[in-house]
Every structure is written in structure tokens, then in C-alpha cells.
């Protein structure tokens, strides 16, 4: 059976980390995968998370299966982060949330649901987008298309082109939008732009699917949700795939959610029944621990404060590292203007490095960056920034 199997290509992002781990170079630098690192280059467990785990260790009484969609209280907590504390969707039967294994799990459930229940509508992704979007939705057998998003000459969103392209998309298709901290460009829509996009989607009968993996990494938990909330005020139907991997540092606990808003409660009951079917035939029910941590922090005012402070510290470190990188590139006389890096938001920066630059950086300098030139700014520290800039100088000039 297995003799005929050919080797699959490595994952464009996680495959690089495998190569990085195998690289013997003592001063290798990994700026590929989207994981937060502190000033020491470590991915810490947040103190609020550790404290919540102590509480759980004492109070947990069962490891019994969770419902297919997870704890309803977790769902309500997710919707409070997404829509705000007094939003009608917290208790409105039009909105349902299922706890999924990470944001990726939520995207795959969304893909399966659209493919099976809506006869595989075309999903339009931003160009560029997170590399795994294509993989996940192709695996779910959704046809894919793309809309222009980024202007490489100005390093900002090419909004005119984006709107023009969305204006051509037929009714019944689905458009994926990044809630904040667009991956890989770090360029987000303004609130007015969200408004315009929302109105256009509504007018044309296009379903928005918001991928919201970085809430709190751009400006703050509430601030970063403004675009999504604007969209939710305009569109009666939408899907949100969210994740606590990054903002709680719960990467390996696999804690995310899919939230679907339908036009009325009757439609939602049907949607939920189909959603459960997709989940039951995939992983059956979600892993409990990460969601229990999020809920414990959420329900304890002190822990919530602590989490907020820790999230703020992560965000501030990323922003000061952006400035550090720009300053150091200038200090090392690297040709080009990199000031745009400080205007980008979230963990990533679209550096402008070409695939050829990236290849040389990996092969000759042990600096690991994804092919598109996207760098994880959080992987830069005071200790490695000079070596990084020397390597960039060597390939860029
Ligand atoms: C844009 C985007 N969406 C979704 C995810 C999924 O995150 P996870 O499955 O780790 O929660 C990521 C993670 O890198 C991402 O960058």
C-alpha cells in the first residue's frame, strides 16, 4: 500500500521551522512562524494563564466529553470579546458559537460547512494572505479566488482596487477578511473602509467570513474589534473564526471558535444542526483545557486585569521592536526606506525582501523568513538585531 506514496511538499511556514530546528548554526534566527517571543527570545506562559491553571487543578472535577460546540458559557465569553459587553449577540439566538481546536480548526469547520451545506460557494481571499488559508480551504474542497489587497509601492492597502474587485463578485460567494493585523502585510482597513466594505457586501449578497486571530495585537482588545463590530452592524449574516492562540499565548492548547450570525433564530437552529454535523464527523468535540483557562481568566476581575497588562506588554514590545529594526537597518546602511515597518500592525511585517533574498538569507546566513518576505517582528531581540541587519545588508546591499 505505502510503496507508491510520494513525499508531500513541506508546509511553507512550519516546514521552515523544521529546517530551522535541524540547522546547527549557533546564531540562527527564526522569523518565520507567527509566535510571540519576549526580549529573551522565549515564548512565555502568561502569569494570568498559570494562575488560572492553578485554580483549574483544584476545582476541575471531570474530564468528561464537552458538547460538540463546547461549553455555552465559553461561546458567550467569545462573543463578548468579539462584539463587546452589551451587544445583543451575547444572548441572541441568531448568534451561535462553537469552540474549535484553534483558529485553524474554526477555519476548517467553516470550510466544511460552506462546502457541504451551501454547495461549495467560491471563497475570495485577499492577495496576499496567510499561506495556510489556501491549504485549509482547498482541503475543504471550496473553490478559491482572490481580490487585490496590498499596494507594494506604497506599502498600504490598495483600497480602490479591493473595492472594485469585490464589486464584481457574484451574490452567494464568500469574502474572507482579516479582522486586524493582516497576515502577512500588517496593513489593516480603517473604520470607514470597513463600513464601505460592509455596505458593498450587504448590497451584493456576499457573505463575510472574518478571520480574527490577533485581537489585541494591533491597538487593544476593544479597538481591534471595531472593524468586525462595524461589519456586524451592517451585515445580518456573517461568520467569524477567532483564536486565543496569540492573545493568551495558548498556542498548543488549541483554543479557538467559529461564530455564525444568521438572520433569524429559525435559520440559526438549522445552521447550528449542520455545524454540529461537520464537527461530529471531524473531531467530535473540542479539547477542554484551553477554553477552561480563557473562561477562568474572563470570570476573575484580577486575572482579567493581569491578562490585559500582559497583552499590552506583548503589543508594546512588538511596536518598539519595529522601531528598533528600522533604526538598526539605517545604522547598518541597508539600502532602501524601511520606515513603513513602524506603520504596520501586529506580529508581521512585509519586509519587501524578495524570494531570492530570502533563499540567500536562509542558505548562507541561517536567517529563516517565509518566501513572501514576511517577517515575524516578535522574533527580533536586542541580541539578534545586529546580526539580522548585517545579514540583510549582505543580501540587499
Ligand atoms: C491569519 C491567521 N489565521 C488563523 C491562524 C490560526 O491560528 P491557530 O490555529 O494557531 O489558533 C493564524 C495563525 O498563525 C493566522 O495567522
Amino acid at each position: 500500500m505505502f510503496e507508491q506514496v510520494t513525499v508531500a511538499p513541506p508546509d511553507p511556514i512550519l516546514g521552515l521551522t523544521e529546517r530551522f530546528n535541524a540547522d546547527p548554526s549557533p546564531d540562527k534566527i527564526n522569523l518565520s512562524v507567527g509566535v510571540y517571543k519576549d526580549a529573551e527570545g522565549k515564548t512565555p506562559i502568561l502569569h494570568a494563564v498559570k494562575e488560572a491553571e492553578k485554580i483549574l487543578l483544584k476545582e476541575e472535577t471531570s474530564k468528561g466529553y464537552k458538547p460538540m460546540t463546547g461549553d455555552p458559557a465559553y461561546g458567550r465569553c467569545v462573543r463578548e470579546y468579539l462584539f463587546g459587553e452589551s451587544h445583543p449577540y451575547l444572548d441572541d439566538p441568531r448568534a451561535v458559537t462553537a469552540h474549535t481546536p484553534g483558529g485553524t480548526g474554526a477555519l476548517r469547520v467553516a470550510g466544511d460547512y460552506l462546502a457541504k451545506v451551501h454547495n461549495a460557494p467560491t471563497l475570495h481571499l485577499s492577495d496576499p494572505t496567510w499561506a495556510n488559508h489556501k491549504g485549509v480551504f482547498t482541503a475543504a474542497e471550496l473553490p478559491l479566488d482572490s481580490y487585490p489587497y496590498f499596494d507594494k509601492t506604497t506599502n498600504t492597502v490598495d483600497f480602490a482596487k479591493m473595492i472594485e474587485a469585490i464589486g464584481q463578485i457574484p451574490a452567494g460567494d464568500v469574502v474572507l477578511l482579516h479582522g486586524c493585523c493582516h497576515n502577512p502585510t500588517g496593513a489593516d482597513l480603517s473604520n470607514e473602509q470597513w463600513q464601505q466594505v460592509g455596505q458593498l457586501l450587504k448590497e451584493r449578497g456576499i457573505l463575510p467570513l472574518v478571520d480574527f486571530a490577533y485581537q489585541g495585537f494591533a491597538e487593544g482588545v476593544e479597538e481591534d474589534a471595531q472593524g468586525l463590530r462595524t461589519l456586524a452592524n451592517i451585515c445580518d449574516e456573517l461568520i467569524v473564526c477567532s483564536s486565543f492562540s496569540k492573545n493568551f499565548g495558548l498556542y498548543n492548547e488549541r483554543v479557538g471558535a467559529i461564530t455564525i450570525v444568521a438572520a433569524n433564530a429559525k435559520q440559526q437552529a438549522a445552521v447550528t444542526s449542520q455545524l454540529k454535523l461537520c464537527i461530529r464527523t471531524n473531531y467530535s468535540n473540542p479539547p477542554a483545557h484551553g477554553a477552561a483557562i480563557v473562561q477562568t481568566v474572563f470570570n476573575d476581575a484580577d486575572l482579567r486585569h493581569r491578562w490585559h497588562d500582559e497583552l499590552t506588554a506583548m503589543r508594546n514590545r512588538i511596536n518598539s521592536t519595529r522601531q528598533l529594526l528600522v533604526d538598526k537597518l539605517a545604522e547598518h546602511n541597508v539600502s532602501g526606506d524601511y520606515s513603513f515597518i513602524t506603520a504596520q500592525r501586529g506580529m508581521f511585517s512585509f519586509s519587501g525582501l524578495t524570494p531570492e533574498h530570502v533563499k540567500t538569507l536562509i542558505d548562507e546566513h541561517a536567517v529563516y523568513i517565509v518566501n513572501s518576505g514576511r517577517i515575524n517582528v516578535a522574533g527580533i531581540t536586542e541580541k539578534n538585531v545586529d546580526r539580522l541587519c548585517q545579514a540583510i545588508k549582505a543580501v540587499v546591499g
Side-chain angles (χ1 to χ4, degrees):
M1 281 291 274
F2 300 141
E3 203 184 335
Q4 36 146 359
V5 179
T6 54
V7 177
D11 180 82
I13 300 173
L14 296 184
L16 269 185
T17 296
E18 287 170 8
R19 259 187 86 184
F20 173 83
N21 290 338
D23 187 332
S25 165
D27 50 5
K28 58 189 176 179
I29 301 174
N30 188 2
L31 305 182
S32 59
V33 67
V35 170
Y36 176 79
K37 306 260 179 70
D38 63 16
E40 300 305 313
K42 303 223 166 67
T43 302
I45 302 177
L46 302 188
H47 291 108
V49 166
K50 269 284 181 211
E51 289 306 313
E53 285 184 310
K54 283 184 201 158
I55 296 173
L56 287 171
L57 194 62
K58 267 203 222 129
E59 294 183 358
E60 231 176 15
T61 53
S62 173
K63 295 283 185 193
Y65 289 128
K66 290 290 175 193
M68 287 176 272
T69 48
D71 268 334
Y74 169 77
R76 195 180 188 283
C77 155
V78 168
R79 291 195 297 281
E80 189 165 331
Y81 281 123
L82 298 183
F83 300 114
E85 68 184 331
S86 52
H87 199 279
Y89 287 160
L90 298 195
D91 297 303
D92 189 325
R94 282 180 299 166
V96 80
T97 302
H99 165 199
T100 55
T104 310
L107 293 165
R108 180 57 196 262
V109 169
D112 286 343
Y113 166 80
L114 290 167
K116 290 195 180 116
V117 183
H118 296 271
N119 206 15
T122 300
L123 175 68
H124 300 258
L125 302 171
S126 63
D127 177 20
T129 195
W130 181 44
N132 206 26
H133 279 149
K134 288 180 194 137
V136 168
F137 294 115
T138 302
E141 300 190 2
L142 281 189
L144 300 180
D145 206 338
S146 65
Y147 59 88
Y149 183 78
F150 191 64
D151 181 347
K152 281 189 177 165
T153 56
T154 58
N155 288 299
T156 54
V157 177
D158 195 338
F159 192 63
K161 276 204 180 142
M162 174 183 178
I163 282 285
E164 195 193 328
I166 294 178
Q168 309 294 319
I169 295 175
D173 278 7
V174 185
V175 164
L176 187 144
L177 300 159
H178 296 227
C180 68
C181 305
H182 183 272
N183 179 0
T185 67
D188 286 340
L189 300 179
S190 68
N191 209 32
E192 292 73 50
Q193 290 172 331
W194 275 100
Q195 188 104 25
Q196 276 191 56
V197 170
Q199 259 142 11
L200 187 58
L201 295 177
K202 186 179 172 146
E203 258 167 53
R204 297 194 62 77
I206 299 166
L207 180 72
L209 193 173
V210 180
D211 183 359
F212 202 25
Y214 295 93
Q215 186 174 8
F217 269 78
E219 284 171 23
V221 175
E222 292 297 305
E223 294 85 340
D224 293 357
Q226 286 316 309
L228 168 67
R229 292 176 191 176
T230 299
L231 201 67
N233 283 343
I234 300 170
C235 302
D236 300 333
E237 298 181 333
L238 81 154
I239 301 181
V240 188
C241 295
S242 55
S243 168
F244 293 110
S245 299
K246 320 281 171 168
N247 55 15
F248 271 77
L250 288 171
Y251 304 90
N252 67 15
E253 296 295 352
R254 310 311 296 136
V255 51
I258 177 168
T259 299
I260 303 188
V261 176
N264 59 51
K266 185 167 168 254
Q267 288 173 17
Q268 183 55 268
V271 167
T272 306
S273 69
Q274 296 288 352
L275 196 63
K276 283 183 182 166
L277 207 58
C278 293
I279 291 168
R280 179 65 173 147
T281 53
N282 185 350
Y283 52 84
S284 189
N285 45 70
H289 189 63
I293 293 169
V294 170
Q295 279 182 88
T296 306
V297 172
F298 184 82
N299 291 327
D300 181 310
D302 282 348
L303 289 184
R304 219 167 151 169
H305 259 113
R306 209 157 169 185
W307 167 69
H308 243 273
D309 289 348
E310 292 183 281
L311 177 57
T312 305
M314 289 196 277
R315 183 172 63 245
N316 289 345
R317 190 185 108 68
I318 294 170
N319 286 335
S320 61
T321 306
R322 287 184 178 281
Q323 190 60 56
L324 174 71
L325 176 61
V326 173
D327 293 347
K328 286 286 181 180
L329 286 166
E331 198 181 302
H332 286 268
N333 285 319
V334 178
S335 60
D337 175 10
Y338 292 93
S339 57
F340 64 86
I341 288 176
T342 54
Q344 297 172 332
R345 295 154 31 124
M347 238 187 265
F348 301 114
S349 195
F350 219 34
S351 63
L353 293 164
T354 65
E356 292 73 37
H357 291 145
V358 170
K359 188 173 179 323
T360 316
L361 280 169
I362 296 173
D363 293 346
E364 294 175 22
H365 300 274
V367 172
Y368 289 76
I369 294 175
V370 293
N371 200 34
S372 63
R374 181 198 85 171
I375 58 176
N376 175 14
V377 179
I380 301 172
T381 64
E382 293 270 357
K383 286 188 197 120
N384 67 20
V385 68
D386 283 300
R387 199 182 96 64
L388 170 67
C389 292
Q390 280 155 9
I392 296 177
K393 171 79 184 160
V395 299
V396 172

